[in-house]
Amino acid sequence: MPGIVIVGAQWGDEGKGKATDQLGDRVDYCVRYSGGNNAGHTIVVNDEKYVLHLLPSGILNPGVTPVLGNGVVIDLDVLYQELDDLAARGAEVQHPLVSANAHVITEYHKTIDKVTERFLGKAKLGTTGRGVGPAYGDKVNRIGIRIQDLFDESILRRKVEAALEQKNHLLVKVYNRRAIEPDEITDHLLTFADRLRPHVVDASRVINDALDNDKVVLFEGAQAHHLDVDHGTYPYVTSSNPIAAGACVGAGVGPTRIDRVVGIAKAYTTRVGSGPFVTELHDVDGEKLRTIGNEFGATTGRPRRCGWFDALVVEDAVQANAFTDVFLTKLDCLTGWEKIPVCVAYDVNGERHEVLPYSQTDIHHATPVYEFLDGWTEDISKCRTFDELPANTQAYVRRLEELIRCRISGIGVGPGREETISLHDLI
């Protein structure tokens, strides 16, 4: 039975939550393997909208065991707020299993995230201020706090004191902020220990045992390929590895356990925060896409930058992640344009590039080369098979398949769970 990885093929917000939820009734385990609560996944079930920031999207499917892997950084306040909010709305969900090796986001991580971003001024990266980057920084600097540390008070106090010894100098002397008391942080973290303890596991062992027992395991990352700290548009990236290979590191499974890699791509392109965006629109079309697609960040509420589909961006993600399938979302949002531009190449100082340039400088100077495809005016939100789509809509999908060099196996034609067209089974 398969291990399946879900990866965003652009800059996030492609609809990974919808795709993950779509597979949920056929999945036994849903594993978050990277990121923190700096990303929002929106799911619509029976006209009810749910926005999840930290919990795996599959948690809304009965029978799915949710897992937060070792590659996730966890804000415990957010974790329990999300669980309590779901319970208050009558959603019956399991408490996720939590890797003992996952790292914890503390208040000092959030403080440093915010003051650092303000200090950068015009050079700011566009972080969410949720403390995710500083928590990953502490992880690689080997001064992080792990979930398992909450169950040994003496170790936890020593680790918090050691981390704040250097951070308080930075806060006071560079940023002119007050020092943070170690006991304040430690005492707050300890309040979660009893509630958390029954759910803490060796997540790698649990996941591998599940695969050994023919269970279907869905691995879900946050953000997307082009926000990957190694493979994205650095430095305008996240602090982890949302690419498919990150599932192995962030969940503790070997690469041979992965059978399917599904890329999620929006039928146009959006981005939140700073960084290059070759097909970005600053006109009425961009505003129309933002309005029709309700393109505002699920976590921050920030308006997303909008542009036409960039085949170079998605093809690069296909190549690096070895996608077996692509799930195309929000196709319905393109209804009403007479012609729909698709970026098929970049012009960089007179030179044509048909694959994404590796040089950030080239991307910065690139202008899009568009191919104009015939649009459609029909309402496609009620279509449930590919043949029901208008001819021009079908042609748009088939042309994208050619450009990105990967089959499109699912199409989202609306936000609801049922508003989906399946071309090929993903499980």
Side-chain angles (χ1 to χ4, degrees):
M1 297 296 288
I4 306 166
V5 184
I6 296 280
V7 181
Q10 295 152 316
W11 283 287
D13 308 309
E14 300 95 348
K16 293 182 295 299
K18 177 182 173 66
T20 301
D21 178 69
Q22 193 71 32
L23 295 170
D25 61 351
R26 289 169 285 171
V27 169
D28 299 298
Y29 287 75
C30 186
V31 183
R32 266 288 297 272
Y33 63 83
S34 71
N37 59 303
N38 55 337
H41 294 163
T42 302
I43 302 164
V44 179
V45 181
N46 297 327
D47 295 326
E48 283 279 325
K49 179 180 176 182
Y50 298 89
V51 180
L52 305 176
H53 303 279
L54 185 59
L55 295 171
S57 299
I59 197 169
L60 291 170
N61 287 282
V64 171
T65 299
V67 183
L68 296 176
N70 58 275
V72 180
V73 287
I74 301 174
D75 184 327
L76 291 166
D77 288 290
V78 172
L79 173 63
Y80 285 108
Q81 186 64 59
E82 285 197 11
L83 286 170
D84 292 344
D85 287 348
L86 288 173
R89 294 179 64 179
E92 296 182 7
V93 298
Q94 291 188 51
H95 190 299
L97 301 178
V98 180
S99 171
N101 292 336
H103 280 246
V104 177
I105 298 174
T106 70
E107 284 301 316
Y108 57 76
H109 292 128
K110 289 180 269 191
T111 298
I112 289 171
D113 199 357
K114 291 171 185 174
V115 298
T116 302
E117 186 77 346
R118 284 198 292 268
F119 190 79
L120 289 172
K122 291 182 179 179
K124 67 181 180 180
L125 301 174
T127 75
T128 61
R130 302 301 201 270
V132 171
Y136 276 116
D138 278 5
K139 177 178 179 176
V140 297
N141 284 321
R142 290 159 292 188
I143 56 170
I145 308 298
R146 297 195 294 178
I147 288 291
Q148 60 183 279
D149 296 330
L150 272 63
F151 309 125
D152 190 321
E153 183 175 342
S154 62
I155 286 179
L156 179 62
R157 290 193 184 278
R158 286 202 303 271
K159 287 192 171 186
V160 171
E161 288 170 2
L164 281 174
E165 186 174 353
Q166 57 176 252
K167 287 177 173 54
N168 276 333
H169 285 292
L170 182 68
L171 286 170
V172 173
K173 296 177 181 178
V174 177
Y175 297 122
N176 197 29
R177 298 289 295 261
R178 73 170 182 87
I180 297 174
E181 291 296 327
D183 285 347
E184 178 184 329
I185 301 296
T186 305
D187 292 345
H188 180 64
L189 291 177
L190 288 171
T191 64
F192 296 102
D194 288 343
R195 189 174 180 185
L196 187 61
R197 189 189 300 270
H199 310 287
V200 175
V201 297
D202 178 348
S204 173
R205 177 72 59 179
V206 168
I207 296 165
N208 279 288
D209 284 349
L211 289 166
D212 287 341
N213 288 305
D214 291 335
K215 302 298 183 184
V216 177
V217 179
L218 184 66
F219 299 90
E220 171 194 341
Q223 290 90 33
H225 172 84
H226 292 283
L227 290 176
D228 186 277
V229 68
D230 287 292
H231 301 279
T233 48
Y234 189 90
Y236 304 101
V237 292
T238 193
S239 305
S240 59
N241 293 112
I243 61 168
C248 297
V249 178
V253 299
T256 57
R257 308 309 301 258
I258 306 301
D259 300 285
R260 272 267 172 75
V261 183
V262 181
I264 314 301
K266 200 174 284 186
Y268 48 100
T269 311
T270 62
R271 179 167 195 168
V272 171
S274 305
F277 185 174
V278 175
T279 65
E280 183 173 10
L281 296 169
H282 301 280
D283 57 12
V284 292
D285 282 333
E287 199 58 48
K288 183 177 176 181
L289 283 172
R290 185 177 298 111
T291 301
I292 293 173
N294 190 29
E295 296 296 351
F296 298 89
T299 296
T300 64
R302 289 182 293 182
R304 295 177 185 139
R305 301 156 63 190
C306 296
W308 299 119
F309 188 89
D310 188 330
L312 280 70
V313 163
V314 178
E315 190 276 338
D316 187 71
V318 169
Q319 189 268 341
N321 292 277
F323 290 154
T324 56
D325 306 85
V326 165
F327 190 106
L328 189 70
T329 64
K330 290 198 168 183
L331 184 60
D332 55 302
C333 294
L334 294 181
T335 298
W337 270 275
E338 184 179 352
K339 293 287 184 179
I340 304 174
V342 173
C343 179
V344 297
Y346 290 172
D347 183 294
V348 182
N349 299 320
E351 182 180 351
R352 183 183 174 99
H353 292 253
E354 295 188 352
V355 296
L356 194 70
Y358 70 85
S359 167
Q360 193 86 341
T361 301
D362 285 348
I363 295 175
H364 177 73
H365 292 291
T367 57
V369 177
Y370 286 120
E371 181 176 308
F372 294 86
L373 303 180
D374 291 332
W376 59 92
T377 57
E378 298 92 334
D379 177 9
I380 65 171
S381 63
K382 301 296 190 295
C383 296
R384 295 296 177 266
T385 67
F386 188 73
D387 289 341
E388 291 175 8
L389 292 171
N392 287 349
T393 316
Q394 294 184 33
Y396 183 82
V397 173
R398 293 308 186 198
R399 181 58 178 143
L400 295 193
E401 282 186 319
E402 294 172 356
L403 291 167
I404 66 176
R405 297 193 296 161
C406 185
R407 73 177 186 178
I408 292 173
S409 293
I411 301 170
V413 292
R417 177 182 281 180
E418 74 287 354
E419 294 175 309
T420 304
I421 294 171
S422 178
L423 285 77
H424 307 280
D425 285 336
L426 296 177
I427 298 179

